[in-house]
Amino acid sequence: MQRAIDHPRWGEDMPTAWVPLELELLQEVENGNNIISRSQLETLNAENKTFTLTPNQLEGFLKIQHSLGKLIYFDEMNLRNFIIINPVYLIEILRSIVTDKQFWPKKESCTESFRRLRKEGIIKKKTIYLKWEQDEFSHILPFKEFMLDILIHLDIIVSPRTDLKNLPLPLHTVSFYLVPCMITNPDNTNYIATYCNDKTSIVLAYTFVDDVIPPALSYRFLGSILTMWDLKIYNGTRMIFCDLTVVEIDDEHDIAVQVKEKRVVVSLVHHDNKTRIVPTLSSSIQECLTAAIYRISEFYSSLSTDGSNHQRVNTTVPFEIEFGVFCQSSICYLHHRKMPSAIKVTWKCHQHRTEHDVRYLRYWYAEKKPAESCSDICSGMYIVEKGIHC
C-alpha cells in the first residue's frame, strides 16, 4: 500500500472516458489475448462512440497506463504497433530465454545451444525460434519479430556489431544475439593481470548510492557498450564473462568493464603504456559511457512517469563518478571533483597514506581543442569509429 501511495500519479483524477476502453482491454485479457495490435486498439476505441478518444488522447492513455503497470507500451519506431495488454505475459517471454537448465528444450541441438549460452552468452536466432515452436511457447510465434525487438529494447538480448569471426555485421543479417545475464563462466584469462594495472590503464568508476547495483541496470549498461564497440577476442577467447567484459576500441585501446558491489568499474587500457592513451579518445569514451548510464537511469525512472516531457519527474542521479588508482593490492577511489589542480600531479590516498601520480586520470575529461603541433608520443592519424584522432 505504501509503494502505491508513493507512486507519482497517486491521487490524480483519471478521465472518465478511459473507463470503457480499460474494461474492454480487461475483457480481452480474460478471453486469453495478451497482445493486441495498434489497429485492434483503435477499433475497440472507435466502438465506444460517446467516449471515443482522439489520437492524442489515445497516446496519452497508453503512456499513463504503461506507467501504472496496467499494460506495456513503448513509443519506439519498431515497437509502437503492438501493445502487451497483460504485463505478466512479458515474464513468459523472458523465461523462454533467461531460464534454468532444467527447462531447456529436449532437442540435442537446442541443449548444446543453451550450454553455449551459459558459457559464452551467445544464442542463435533460429534457436530462439525453435524454443518458441514448443507447445508451451507456441503462442509467441505470431509476434516473434515484435518479441525479439522488445527483448533487444530491454537489453535482455543484444544485437552484436560483428559476426562470430569479428567481421562487420549488417543489422538485417543478425543470426545470433548476446545474452549477458545468462553467462555463468567467470574470467579464466590473464587479461586483468596483464593489462588492468598502473602501467597500462586508467580507471573510472560509476559509484551508486545503493549498496548493490540492480543486475538489470548493469546488464543494460553492458548491452549499451556491446552496441558501441566490438567484443574483444583475446587469445582465441571472446571476452565476455559473468565478472568481466572487454571491448576493443582499436588495435591499441580496450575497455574492460567489471561490476564490483556498488561500482561499475571501467578501465581504459593501452596495450603498451597508459602514457600513450589518446586524451581526446579517453574523454570521448567517458562521454559515451556517462550518457549511456544516464539514459539507463532515466529509463528506470520513466517507468513511474507517463513519459511525456512536460510531466516527467526530475530524479536525482543515482551515482557519482570517481577515479580509481592502483594502491597496494587494491584500487582506491577519489571523487572526480576532488582531483588535484592542474599544477599538482599527485594525490595522497588517506587510507594507505600513499602518493600517486594522477595526471593521466585527467584524460577522462580532456578538452577537445585543436593543437598547432603533435606531442612527442603522437604516432600519426588513425580512424576510430567515425572520428579521426591524432
Side-chain angles (χ1 to χ4, degrees):
M1 189 64 190
Q2 186 58 49
R3 291 183 66 83
I5 293 172
D6 289 341
H7 194 282
R9 305 209 77 95
W10 178 265
E12 284 188 19
D13 293 331
M14 295 294 172
T16 305
W18 287 5
V19 175
L21 188 55
E22 280 194 70
L23 293 175
E24 288 182 337
L25 292 180
L26 287 172
Q27 186 60 54
E28 289 290 325
V29 173
E30 288 184 7
N31 292 340
N33 298 320
N34 297 298
I35 303 174
I36 63 171
S37 67
R38 184 65 178 250
S39 59
Q40 288 176 301
L41 179 69
E42 290 170 352
T43 299
L44 291 175
N45 179 47
E47 292 173 353
N48 290 326
K49 306 299 181 184
T50 307
F51 294 102
T52 300
L53 304 179
T54 66
N56 285 340
Q57 290 173 336
L58 186 60
E59 188 70 15
F61 169 83
L62 288 172
K63 289 181 177 179
I64 292 178
Q65 295 288 77
H66 171 87
S67 76
L68 296 173
K70 293 185 177 181
L71 52 80
I72 296 174
Y73 168 73
F74 295 107
D75 186 19
E76 302 288 339
M77 180 66 70
N78 56 340
L79 300 177
R80 63 171 66 102
N81 291 329
F82 289 95
I83 301 98
I84 300 176
I85 57 177
N86 180 13
V88 177
Y89 184 64
L90 187 57
I91 297 174
E92 290 292 304
I93 312 304
L94 295 176
R95 78 180 183 89
S96 68
I97 297 175
V98 183
T99 184
D100 191 69
K101 182 178 179 179
Q102 61 181 310
F103 302 114
W104 291 355
K106 302 305 179 186
K107 295 180 181 178
E108 185 176 345
S109 59
C110 287
T111 302
E112 183 57 36
S113 295
F114 272 75
R115 284 199 190 98
R116 189 177 188 187
L117 177 59
R118 292 183 60 153
K119 182 179 180 181
E120 301 180 55
I122 294 174
I123 188 169
K124 293 183 178 180
K125 181 187 288 187
K126 66 179 183 181
T127 302
I128 296 176
Y129 288 166
L130 282 173
K131 183 76 182 282
W132 288 350
E133 286 175 2
Q134 295 180 100
D135 292 340
E136 185 180 5
F137 298 110
S138 59
H139 49 79
I140 301 174
L141 286 175
F143 310 99
K144 62 183 183 181
E145 296 298 334
F146 169 69
M147 287 308 174
L148 279 178
D149 288 337
I150 283 283
L151 293 172
I152 291 170
H153 180 69
L154 297 175
D155 286 325
I156 303 300
I157 63 177
V158 179
S159 294
R161 289 166 42 86
T162 56
D163 66 11
L164 293 173
K165 297 179 181 177
N166 239 28
L167 298 174
L169 189 67
L171 288 177
H172 68 277
T173 64
V174 169
S175 61
F176 73 99
Y177 299 95
L178 298 171
V179 192
C181 64
M182 278 293 288
I183 300 174
T184 57
N185 276 21
D187 173 30
N188 57 0
T189 70
N190 64 348
Y191 182 90
I192 291 293
T194 304
Y195 293 111
C196 293
N197 53 57
D198 191 47
K199 178 186 175 183
T200 56
S201 64
I202 58 175
V203 177
L204 177 104
Y206 298 100
T207 303
F208 283 76
V209 176
D210 295 331
D211 290 335
V212 178
I213 301 172
L217 189 148
S218 60
Y219 291 138
R220 282 186 67 86
F221 184 62
L222 287 178
S224 297
I225 292 173
L226 291 169
T227 58
M228 289 189 280
W229 296 289
D230 298 330
L231 190 63
K232 184 176 183 62
I233 297 179
Y234 176 67
N235 292 337
T237 301
R238 296 174 66 83
M239 295 298 289
I240 183 167
F241 307 97
C242 62
D243 54 356
L244 171 70
T245 300
V246 183
V247 293
E248 188 174 67
I249 307 302
D250 55 34
D251 291 339
E252 296 181 330
H253 296 85
D254 298 335
I255 298 175
V257 179
Q258 298 169 284
V259 178
K260 298 181 177 181
E261 297 178 342
K262 60 190 295 183
R263 288 187 174 93
V264 176
V265 181
V266 179
S267 299
L268 176 57
V269 174
H270 190 284
H271 295 177
D272 294 328
N273 196 295
K274 69 181 179 184
T275 61
R276 299 181 63 85
I277 291 175
V278 180
T280 51
L281 175 62
S282 177
S283 58
S284 296
I285 289 170
Q286 177 272 130
E287 289 170 3
C288 287
L289 298 181
T290 301
I293 209 159
Y294 266 114
R295 285 196 303 269
I296 294 166
S297 299
E298 287 180 354
F299 174 83
Y300 285 108
S301 66
S302 70
L303 297 179
S304 58
T305 69
D306 65 8
S308 58
N309 291 331
H310 67 282
Q311 290 182 321
R312 182 166 290 177
V313 176
N314 291 323
T315 56
T316 303
V317 177
F319 62 85
E320 297 282 355
I321 297 176
E322 295 181 321
F323 294 140
V325 293
F326 295 90
C327 188
Q328 296 188 15
S329 61
S330 62
I331 298 179
C332 293
Y333 297 92
L334 70 152
H335 196 285
H336 76 283
R337 292 195 184 94
K338 295 183 179 180
M339 270 287 289
S341 63
I343 300 174
K344 189 177 180 182
V345 298
T346 61
W347 170 78
K348 185 175 182 179
C349 170
H350 296 292
Q351 181 180 353
H352 300 106
R353 300 184 180 279
T354 306
E355 290 275 347
H356 298 277
D357 184 345
V358 293
R359 75 184 78 180
Y360 299 105
L361 292 176
R362 295 195 181 96
Y363 284 2
W364 288 116
Y365 284 86
E367 293 185 19
K368 301 180 186 66
K369 56 184 180 181
E372 294 182 0
S373 61
C374 294
S375 66
D376 294 337
I377 63 171
C378 177
S379 58
M381 291 192 299
Y382 61 95
I383 297 175
V384 178
E385 292 296 311
K386 297 181 180 179
I388 298 178
H389 296 265
C390 183

